[in-house]
Amino acid sequence: MSEITRVGVDLAKRVIQVHAVNAAGQRVTSRALARDKFMAWCAQLPAGCLVAMEASSSAHHWARRLVALGLDARIIAAHLVAPYRLQGKSGKNDANDAAAICEAASRPQMHFVPVKSVEQQSMLCIHRLREGFKAERTACVNRIRGLLAEFGLVFAQKPAVLRQALPDVIEDACNELGTLARLALQRAWAQWQELDAHLAWCDERIAAHLKVNEQVRQAEQLMGVGPVTASAVVATVGDFKQFRNGAQFGAWLGLTPRQNSSGGKNNLGAITKRGDMYLRMLLIQGAKSAVMTAHRRDDPISKWLHQLREKSGWQKAAVALANKNARILWAVFVRGKPFDARHVSVKPGMAAAAV
């Protein structure tokens, strides 16, 4: 075990495959371990040994435990591992996956996923739960509309209108609703109210995160960034210094255009949509509200946003503001300066020329 310098780990629910190599890259061992024996095996590795694994639901948990043992735990995004599987798509199995992870971890330009803390993952649990409740509430409301439409009862599209009218509709004896239909709607109405209560609880937890976390309060100052977006950004990213600059952070979120350039000719398309879909969605949705009200403000960002909306449409303007907000977030957290809507950025080269 002392000659092992790098280990690739393929995680699973019950069996964990490991592939270990020495300093020369030669295989030392490749074996499957029971889940309860994995940490005991890792405890025999030399201190500082690199242990890499694919990003998965339990990867951060294992990485924290390995770091506590004095090992160098790394997490790699799954799509960056696949090219290093020598057997290709037709040779996918646990042993080959572990070998591919081990090989990918040796690349000097490999991008690793920072290990999340327990606090970060706990806060993200609230966000994931909130998104699930939102989807369930939407399904519940649509289900109620469909049931009412079967009896010729149609209401305005806004949920608030249906929420106000539904109790009276259930109690109204003049409509065609049968006894079983009324009972079914009562159950659906109770489910709707329960989901509203769950969502309110999630919003309370996010508000508490905003109250106690200085970074969340700083992020909320940006135009088009509310408490939910600010909390999600801080909980997901953690250390913003992992990115070289704001442009790299925007690219990590999938907010930059995809390229198909060749022969010196640049050809840019739609945004790549890589990275965290939840963060990208929140930034774009928040940017939409800022785009629609940009004409009411006179700061430089709002003026630029209004001109872009008139030129290219509100959809492109919203994505552009989301990308700009991503860059501003990086600058705020890395440089330690509060957000200023009237700040005018100067490129380092231009500043040096002016001096």
Side-chain angles (χ1 to χ4, degrees):
M1 297 288 284
S2 60
E3 70 272 23
I4 294 176
T5 59
R6 189 173 68 253
V7 180
V9 179
D10 184 54
L11 299 172
K13 293 179 180 178
R14 293 179 175 83
V15 178
I16 296 178
Q17 182 78 31
V18 296
H19 182 94
V21 298
N22 58 21
Q26 298 174 338
R27 186 177 69 178
V28 176
T29 183
S30 179
R31 55 182 297 191
L33 298 170
R35 183 185 180 91
D36 56 353
K37 295 181 180 179
F38 175 61
M39 290 305 297
W41 184 86
C42 290
Q44 303 175 46
L45 295 172
C49 179
L50 193 156
V51 182
M53 62 200 80
E54 274 187 348
S56 63
S57 58
S58 61
H60 293 277
H61 160 74
W62 288 116
R64 286 192 296 267
R65 295 189 63 182
L66 292 172
V67 169
L69 289 177
L71 302 175
D72 184 10
R74 305 286 185 91
I75 301 175
I76 309 175
H79 70 276
L80 297 179
V81 173
Y84 295 96
R85 191 187 304 116
L86 299 179
Q87 297 78 9
K89 293 182 178 180
S90 60
K92 178 173 170 44
N93 57 46
D94 292 347
N96 291 341
D97 285 349
I101 295 168
C102 187
E103 181 63 25
S106 68
R107 301 297 94 189
Q109 301 299 324
M110 179 58 62
H111 294 285
F112 297 100
V113 179
V115 180
K116 288 183 173 61
S117 65
V118 174
E119 291 73 19
Q120 282 180 271
Q121 285 196 291
S122 298
M123 195 63 229
L124 288 175
C125 287
I126 301 297
H127 285 273
R128 298 293 181 264
L129 200 62
R130 185 177 183 274
E131 285 301 294
F133 287 145
K134 277 175 55 181
E136 290 175 20
R137 184 176 66 176
T138 300
C140 181
V141 172
N142 290 338
R143 189 179 303 115
I144 291 173
R145 288 185 184 279
L147 293 175
L148 291 173
E150 294 292 335
F151 298 93
L153 300 170
V154 180
F155 298 90
Q157 197 170 19
K158 292 183 178 181
V161 176
L162 180 61
R163 182 186 288 109
Q164 183 178 3
L166 187 57
D168 294 334
V169 170
I170 295 174
E171 297 297 330
D172 186 5
C174 297
N175 55 45
E176 289 186 347
L177 289 174
T179 302
L180 285 178
R182 294 180 195 276
L183 292 174
L185 287 169
Q186 285 177 349
R187 286 297 183 105
W189 172 233
Q191 183 188 15
W192 187 357
Q193 291 175 309
E194 183 181 2
L195 291 171
D196 282 340
H198 289 324
L199 281 167
W201 180 86
C202 292
D203 290 338
E204 289 174 3
R205 302 285 75 75
I206 292 173
H209 191 208
L210 173 68
K211 187 176 180 180
V212 302
N213 192 295
E214 177 62 26
Q215 280 192 319
V216 179
R217 291 197 295 272
Q218 289 178 344
E220 196 204 13
Q221 302 303 313
L222 272 67
M223 205 174 303
V225 176
V228 175
T229 305
S231 173
V233 166
V234 172
T236 302
V237 179
D239 183 13
F240 282 79
K241 292 182 180 179
Q242 63 182 287
F243 303 102
R244 292 193 304 270
N245 49 46
Q248 189 184 52
F249 180 48
W252 179 77
L253 288 171
L255 291 169
T256 52
R258 63 175 69 248
Q259 291 195 42
N260 186 19
S261 304
S262 179
K265 182 179 179 180
N266 293 328
N267 186 12
L268 303 180
I271 59 174
T272 61
K273 296 184 180 180
R274 294 175 179 170
D276 194 301
M277 181 177 65
Y278 179 59
L279 279 187
R280 184 172 60 253
M281 178 266 294
L282 289 177
L283 285 169
I284 292 177
Q285 284 188 347
K288 287 180 182 179
S289 63
V291 167
M292 298 306 178
T293 57
H295 62 282
R296 303 175 188 172
R297 299 182 295 272
D298 62 350
D299 57 274
I301 294 179
S302 296
K303 290 180 180 179
W304 163 80
L305 197 57
H306 180 65
Q307 293 173 358
L308 185 60
R309 177 188 175 185
E310 295 298 316
K311 177 183 176 181
S312 303
W314 68 267
Q315 293 96 334
K316 290 184 179 179
V319 175
L321 179 60
N323 189 20
K324 180 182 283 291
N325 280 341
R327 295 173 181 233
I328 293 174
L329 283 168
W330 178 88
V332 167
F333 292 131
V334 172
R335 296 173 183 169
K337 296 181 180 179
F339 169 68
D340 180 11
R342 299 186 180 277
H343 173 75
V344 179
S345 61
V346 180
K347 293 183 179 180
M350 297 175 61
V355 174

